Amino acid sequence: MTMQPAVKMFDYLEQFHEIEPQVMKAIERVTRSGQLMLAQEVKTFEQNFATFIGAPQAGVGVANGTDAIVVCLMALGIGPGDHVITTANTAVPTVSAIRMAHATPVFVDVDPNTALMDLNQLRAAITPQTKAIIPVHLFGNMVNMTQVMQLADEHGLKVIEDCAQSHGAQLNGQTAGTLGHAAAFSFYPTKNLGAMGDAGLSISADPELTKQMRRIRMYGFDETYYSEREGINSRLHEIQAAILNVKLPQLPYMLANRRRIAQQYLAGLSPRVIPMQTTEHVNHAYHLFVVKVAPDLNRDDVRARLLEKGINTGIHYPHPIHLMRGYAFLGYKPGSLPVTEQLSQSILSLPIYPELSDEDVNRVIQAVNEVVG
Ligand SMILES: *Cc1c(COP(=O)(O)O)cnc(C)c1O
């Protein structure tokens, strides 16, 4: 038994302590400005985040990452009867967003080495009803967008990047969120860039699409009390934007820490845990550090024994969406996405967050290597 405190998957307070004075000042700035909704802080963040990813147009701040996907789908005119291809090994919100836009999710299997969308399966799944693709840049890795965009162009499809886990990831030097027709980001507190509540952003290089996004996030308005189109209410709050404005300048340093921790894991872990491969030419953003346990190991046993040693771990994700009761109506049966189903039994996420100390990373490596033998 260890007497040290457990290694956590994420610790919001460790990060907050470092920036508390600036955050408090930012909150005070908003509360005293008399401007609580869609004012200067939101505008500043929309511009500065676009600059960070190298996008030509400011983004559109929305209430959360799920809405960010919905706003992209609506702006692209995706709706009832339209099929949207994505993966079942993702966070549920990717799929709930497709349903919120009244479209139909279609799942393709994933590559066993990356757990990302299998692009051969994608090609095979395209039908005349297919209108859009949502590649999910899961774990901070990226789907090969060069190939996705080529397929999309061949078939006249729209592509929305789900960047909720990939702030700062790059493919051939181009940052996630600048490679599709539109992209959605989440700033849920645990993400690579996190607010202190819900927050999200939709973004596109296309000015017309951006204009539609801006309308959609507030009832379809350009001017007060007049809808140019159907919209929803999904505003990014000024206080969350102000907090994001404090944290955005630190994102490069936080990403560097995630990448440094990942390198320590890659160098130190036993070959009996197999790290997910990084897509070629990708600079990974390491939102999560995911490994597969060797075939003769029981993942849940490994997990329980790590917990005994004071190491928290996660599973991303334990239940493929197509087999969840809430999505049974989509009609998928066990065995329909074999790689996704198999991975859900063998993957394990190790602690990775910018404030994790070298000492704790070494504790994790040592504990994993002891447990897997
Ligand atoms: C977190 C997440 C979302 C949704 O973000 P919310 O802000 O929680 O709505 C969407 N997709 C993926 C892959 C995520 O990890």
Side-chain angles (χ1 to χ4, degrees), residues 63-67 69 90-94 136-138 162-165 185-188 191 198-200 287 317:
N64 56 65
T66 312
D67 282 1
I69 302 172
T90 179
V92 171
T94 311
V136 182
H137 300 319
L138 204 64
D162 182 338
C163 298
Q165 299 191 3
F185 286 87
S186 166
F187 307 108
Y188 184 78
K191 307 289 189 187
D198 278 309
H287 175 59
Y317 291 92

Side-chain angles (χ1 to χ4, degrees), residues 194-360:
M196 293 186 181
D198 278 309
L201 181 115
S202 308
I203 193 159
S204 171
D206 179 344
E208 178 55 32
L209 211 54
T210 303
K211 182 165 121 187
Q212 296 304 331
M213 289 170 169
R214 224 167 268 294
R215 286 175 172 167
I216 293 164
R217 70 125 176 241
M218 195 166 117
Y219 324 128
F221 287 4
D222 284 343
E223 308 271 346
T224 316
Y225 305 133
Y226 190 93
S227 298
E228 298 289 344
R229 56 163 298 146
E230 266 194 301
I232 60 177
N233 169 13
S234 185
R235 290 173 292 232
L236 170 59
H237 195 277
E238 276 291 287
I239 288 180
Q240 296 304 339
I243 292 165
L244 288 166
N245 283 330
V246 169
K247 289 179 72 175
L248 180 59
Q250 307 194 344
L251 182 51
Y253 149 84
M254 294 194 290
L255 280 166
N257 276 0
R258 287 180 182 277
R259 287 171 176 145
R260 183 175 47 73
I261 294 164
Q263 291 314 314
Q264 286 176 263
Y265 279 146
L266 289 168
L269 286 171
S270 157
R272 286 173 53 71
V273 290
I274 304 121
M276 284 293 143
Q277 279 175 17
T278 302
T279 306
E280 240 188 304
H281 309 299
V282 166
N283 188 8
H284 201 304
Y286 287 109
H287 175 59
L288 294 167
F289 191 91
V290 178
V291 298
K292 273 189 287 196
V293 301
D296 62 309
L297 291 167
N298 178 304
R299 189 267 320 272
D300 294 330
D301 278 357
V302 170
R303 206 169 172 229
R305 288 173 59 201
L306 284 172
L307 191 58
E308 281 170 22
K309 291 177 180 290
I311 312 295
N312 285 287
T313 57
I315 304 173
H316 298 88
Y317 291 92
H319 306 288
I321 297 171
H322 69 294
L323 301 181
M324 293 182 184
R325 275 188 297 281
Y327 289 98
F329 70 93
L330 292 172
Y332 290 85
K333 297 284 176 270
S336 50
L337 300 169
V339 179
T340 300
E341 291 166 35
Q342 206 286 323
L343 276 175
S344 69
Q345 305 297 311
S346 60
I347 47 176
L348 189 67
S349 306
L350 303 180
I352 191 164
Y353 60 92
E355 298 76 24
L356 193 63
S357 67
D358 279 354
E359 190 195 340
D360 279 349

Side-chain angles (χ1 to χ4, degrees), residues 162-179:
D162 182 338
C163 298
Q165 299 191 3
S166 61
H167 318 63
Q170 293 186 318
L171 171 66
N172 292 316
Q174 276 191 287
T175 306
T178 62
L179 293 125

